[in-house]
Amino acid sequence: ASNQMWGGRFASGPAAIMEAINASIGFDQKLYAQDIRGSIAHSEMLAQTGIISTDDQKKIAHGLNTILSEIEAGTFEFSARLEDIHMNVEARLADLIGPSAGRLHTARSRNDQVALDFRLWVKEEMQRVAVALERLIEAFLDRAQQHAATVMPGFTHLQTAQPVTFGHHCMAYVEMFARDLSRVRDAIARADESPLGAAALAGTGFPIDRHMTAKALGFREPTRNSIDSVSDRDFALEFLSLAAICATHLSRLAEEIVIWSTPQFGFIRLSDQFSTGSSIMPQKKNPDAAELVRAKTGRVNGHLIALLTVMKGLPLAYSKDMQEDKEAVFDAAETLDLMLAAMTGMVSDMTVNEAAMKKAAGSGYSTATDLADWLVREAGLPFREAHHVTGRAVALAESRKVGLEKLSLDELQAIDSRIDGSIFDVLSVNASVKSRSSFGGTAPQEVRRQIRYWRKRLKRG
Ligand code: ARG
């Protein structure tokens, strides 16, 4: 049989393969609440502007609310023959209320309908991501507070570089996730325009009120160009972009957690809640959750590339290609939500091994820069010369297999006679971090200042 929505000019129904490639109900049923909300707002506007009768509108709204309950109760039967969520809902509405159902789609097309539903969904998801990011940032701020003065090695090239504080390292992630949060908020603001009323692409001759539906659906304003309204998926691309950047941040953190939790590093221990054992090696405690966060980033990043690639060749306005936007976004959203929750859990309840961090901080000649800086500051050497002198001290310590602070004053003075006993004050890791009090530096007092800054800024929202 031909389709009841557009079967007028079709003699027969689609081939089974056609139905299989065409149907989106398997995934776009996720949009049911947005679809029904949009339809109710649309029908109210149609009644207010006199395009349909109040009587029809009441039946439509009542029927749609019944459908909402049916879907939420799990009794609604989705049909692939009806292609997508929009036609499934509309067909059921016709079952429930008869001919009045046919008036709902006045001055509307599935093109503006799907653009609306999807935008509503993506906006809500971005609001969820914002909340999840705030939680993760809070978790890091708490950790930073506890460990503002906990010394650990800072790395470049994953080689010991200079001592830093664990609090400072945590605050680096606060900066990253706060940027993600600001990207989400920007994207929400840009997505905050209603496409409803663009109809197929050209607008409509019916005296609709797009400002009314925009307001009823919680948008700042209606979109200004009907062609763009049904062609645009920037809101989805922006969500995927910010998701990919955020996932990439989460993945770097995951990688650090994997490294830190090895017995070789031993900087942290994950709780039993976020690790697994091995079925053969009894001693093992594996950071599976962190590894999966690292891996799932590949999926999120892949979805961004997938949708960019779908969109890049599309002429204006709507093409069916755009139906492929949804699975990418849904899976990226579900994945990102899970990643954020898992990371917040891991950050909150991992155990920090301060002794192991401190020990590692002192190895690898991490205070060599402090020695060089001392030579500049106290003995007036140009930095390049100080660098050279320090290099000789490191070579000596290395040949003796000891730390810089274990060299005697005589040995140091044999390298450069301008060195005196106060040098030992800067060779300890605590003195090193304490001295780095420049704005944004690793000194505990500076870290605490940045924590106060973020707490205040996040409260402002
Ligand atoms: N299922 C479609 C989608 O997701 C709805 C829009 C269909 N519009 C059309 N003219 N075929 O994009």
Side-chain angles (χ1 to χ4, degrees):
S2 66
N3 186 289
Q4 56 177 298
M5 295 298 157
W6 37 256
R9 68 177 290 252
F10 287 78
S12 69
I17 301 284
M18 176 59 196
E19 193 172 286
I21 196 172
N22 199 39
S24 55
I25 188 62
F27 48 86
D28 69 13
Q29 51 182 272
K30 247 194 160 72
L31 298 174
Y32 74 90
Q34 290 75 16
D35 193 69
I36 289 171
R37 209 186 322 147
S39 288
I40 291 175
H42 183 64
S43 73
E44 281 167 351
M45 182 278 291
L46 291 176
Q48 288 257 342
T49 51
I51 299 168
I52 65 171
S53 71
T54 309
D55 188 47
D56 281 332
Q57 193 280 323
K58 285 208 172 103
K59 286 188 194 143
I60 289 168
H62 186 261
L64 288 169
N65 280 317
T66 304
I67 294 169
L68 183 64
S69 322
E70 289 175 351
I71 295 175
E72 281 176 348
T75 58
F76 189 95
E77 268 183 55
F78 292 103
S79 152
R81 197 176 43 81
L82 290 168
E83 209 182 307
D84 58 23
I85 184 64
H86 323 295
M87 297 209 289
N88 269 268
V89 169
E90 203 184 319
R92 177 69 183 139
L93 188 63
D95 291 348
L96 287 171
I97 67 167
S100 300
R103 302 199 183 273
L104 168 61
H105 213 52
T106 315
R108 187 176 73 170
S109 149
R110 270 190 300 152
N111 297 348
D112 60 336
Q113 189 177 358
V114 73
L116 169 72
D117 295 1
F118 198 34
R119 226 179 239 256
L120 283 169
W121 195 93
V122 171
K123 245 180 83 185
E124 285 161 33
E125 167 60 18
M126 291 197 290
Q127 274 145 4
R128 279 192 290 276
V129 169
V131 171
L133 277 167
E134 280 167 358
R135 286 206 189 108
L136 178 57
I137 291 169
E138 296 286 347
F140 265 119
L141 286 170
D142 290 344
R143 256 38 252 276
Q145 189 101 46
Q146 289 159 0
H147 294 286
T150 302
V151 179
M152 71 179 280
F155 299 93
T156 59
H157 315 267
L158 198 54
Q159 308 279 329
T160 304
Q162 293 173 349
V164 296
T165 59
F166 184 57
H168 193 214
H169 200 103
C170 288
M171 291 305 289
Y173 281 103
V174 167
E175 295 287 335
M176 292 151 81
F177 293 120
R179 284 196 297 276
D180 291 336
L181 181 57
S182 105
R183 265 184 283 275
V184 180
R185 289 180 176 154
D186 290 350
I188 292 172
R190 260 189 302 281
D192 207 9
E193 298 177 353
S194 168
L196 186 61
L201 79 164
T204 176
F206 290 101
I208 59 170
D209 185 343
R210 294 191 56 211
H211 290 84
M212 188 188 297
T213 45
K215 188 154 175 251
L217 292 165
F219 288 100
R220 193 179 56 235
E221 59 191 333
T223 51
R224 283 163 305 279
N225 182 297
S226 61
I227 298 174
D228 178 54
S229 304
V230 296
S231 312
D232 170 37
R233 290 296 181 271
D234 288 7
F235 60 95
L237 289 171
E238 283 200 53
F239 167 67
L240 290 171
S241 309
L242 71 87
I245 296 173
C246 179
T248 300
H249 289 156
L250 290 166
S251 184
R252 296 181 76 171
L253 171 59
E255 169 69 0
E256 297 207 301
I257 287 177
V258 169
I259 293 172
W260 292 343
S261 63
T262 57
Q264 287 74 13
F265 269 73
F267 287 4
I268 60 163
R269 226 166 42 92
L270 292 173
S271 73
D272 290 349
Q273 292 190 63
F274 287 100
S275 31
T276 57
S278 156
S279 52
I280 176 167
M281 297 164 283
Q283 85 282 13
K284 294 264 280 182
K285 204 168 171 192
N286 295 326
D288 295 41
E291 293 169 281
L292 286 164
V293 166
R294 190 172 59 186
K296 284 176 191 294
T297 302
R299 262 167 78 171
V300 177
N301 293 357
H303 290 313
L304 168 62
I305 299 301
L307 187 57
L308 283 169
T309 310
V310 166
M311 296 305 297
K312 76 168 197 50
L314 295 188
L316 308 187
Y318 180 86
S319 298
K320 196 61 173 263
D321 308 51
M322 289 159 79
Q323 180 166 286
E324 286 287 312
D325 56 5
K326 289 171 205 68
E327 284 165 293
V329 165
F330 291 156
D331 187 69
E334 196 177 309
T335 306
L336 185 66
D337 293 351
L338 193 55
M339 291 166 74
L340 283 165
M343 265 312 173
T344 305
M346 274 182 272
V347 168
S348 306
D349 78 359
M350 66 191 182
T351 311
V352 174
N353 186 341
E354 296 183 25
M357 281 186 179
K358 181 156 188 196
K359 185 155 179 262
S363 71
Y365 311 104
S366 67
T367 56
T369 316
D370 298 272
L371 200 168
D373 286 349
W374 184 94
L375 290 166
V376 170
R377 209 171 47 240
E378 306 296 329
L381 273 66
F383 183 77
R384 283 296 158 212
E385 191 186 342
H387 186 287
H388 183 79
V389 170
T390 305
R392 291 183 55 205
V394 168
L396 176 64
E398 206 168 28
S399 72
R400 302 232 355 250
K401 296 191 171 35
V402 295
L404 281 173
E405 74 288 355
K406 293 280 151 53
L407 294 175
S408 70
L409 186 56
D410 284 349
E411 287 172 313
L412 287 166
Q413 284 177 335
I415 294 168
D416 194 295
S417 62
R418 287 165 288 190
I419 295 175
D420 68 42
S422 71
I423 189 76
F424 293 105
D425 295 341
V426 304
L427 294 181
S428 83
V429 290
N430 283 325
S432 170
V433 297
K434 202 164 161 227
S435 73
R436 293 202 154 71
S437 57
S438 54
F439 185 85
T442 203
Q445 58 169 38
E446 181 60 18
V447 170
R448 291 194 185 99
R449 204 159 65 77
Q450 300 299 349
I451 295 170
R452 285 195 297 277
Y453 166 85
W454 274 114
R455 288 212 195 275
K456 220 187 280 164
R457 181 160 157 185
L458 288 166
K459 218 183 286 157
R460 279 205 311 270

